[in-house]
Amino acid sequence: DLACGDEEAIGFGYCRACNEWLVSENAFDNHVGGKDEEGKCPQNATVDEVLRGIHLYTETQNDVITIDCPLPEDVQDTEGFYKTLRYTLEQAISVTMELDENELDGFIGEVPGKPDRRRIVLYETAEGGIGAVQSLTETPRLKAVLQSAREVLHEDEEGCEKACYECLLTFYNQRDHEVLDRKLILPFLKRMESVEIEAESEDRSARLEELREQCQSDFEREVLSEIVSRDL
């Protein structure tokens, strides 16, 4: 959502009379009957001619990994732990897989019914993905990233007190600088050094039926059947 000044708008407004987008409550109020000629509708639109609450979206397909782990018992700072872990993993993945800073992004979401727990979501910004996130489902690559994370945080070094521009701080996470603390997650990363990945068993029959329902032609169904017959 965009905003002008201090008056935020919930979504966008759109005037069907003059085809203008309105991005704040002040802009809306002035557009339909305001005294200030600047911003006032040149077609004298009525309130009914202005649509409100319009949200713009774009849809892409990107590789995503969700990290859902409980807050360690010895940690009390929920926000600091999860935000530090998020930025540490972003840095470690970028270093390990030689990604540019803008090729990986993420966010933290709440877990319903669990106020002391958060869910970290990391995703590749490139359409279709480049395989970096997917490779984290392989034990050797995941261990390499976790080792890189500990190196990023100055483990076994005389590093910073909490965070610095040589480890966690960047221009892009300035709003979180006060809560970042490398010491909150170093013990957790240390315990993860023996991590092993176990793949969950998949109900192939249910997945196959789901794919068949999505087929839009006999040819697609034939290809799907051939894939199954070859056990691909």
Side-chain angles (χ1 to χ4, degrees), residues 103-200:
E103 289 184 287
L104 186 70
D105 206 346
F107 60 88
I108 297 175
E110 295 187 355
V111 178
K114 298 180 179 179
D116 61 341
R117 191 161 177 167
R118 300 290 184 271
R119 182 173 290 128
I120 300 173
V121 179
L122 302 179
Y123 61 91
E124 295 177 23
T125 57
E127 175 76 20
I130 57 177
V133 163
Q134 184 178 1
S135 70
L136 294 178
T137 60
E138 304 167 2
T139 298
R141 183 55 62 90
L142 177 59
K143 285 187 174 182
V145 168
L146 293 175
Q147 179 59 39
S148 179
R150 291 159 64 181
E151 294 172 0
V152 165
L153 298 181
H154 317 301
E155 185 181 49
D156 299 326
E157 298 178 13
E158 189 176 342
C160 56
E161 180 65 25
K162 290 186 175 182
C164 66
Y165 278 94
E166 292 184 3
C167 59
L168 288 170
L169 305 187
T170 71
F171 172 81
Y172 300 100
N173 63 17
Q174 290 183 76
R175 67 179 63 188
D176 295 321
H177 282 188
E178 291 185 1
V179 301
L180 300 182
D181 186 348
R182 65 189 182 91
K183 295 178 182 178
L184 286 175
I185 68 168
L186 272 171
F188 170 77
L189 293 174
K190 178 69 174 177
R191 292 194 293 269
M192 291 286 287
E193 64 182 351
S194 59
V195 66
E196 295 289 339
I197 293 177
E198 296 181 4
E200 293 184 357

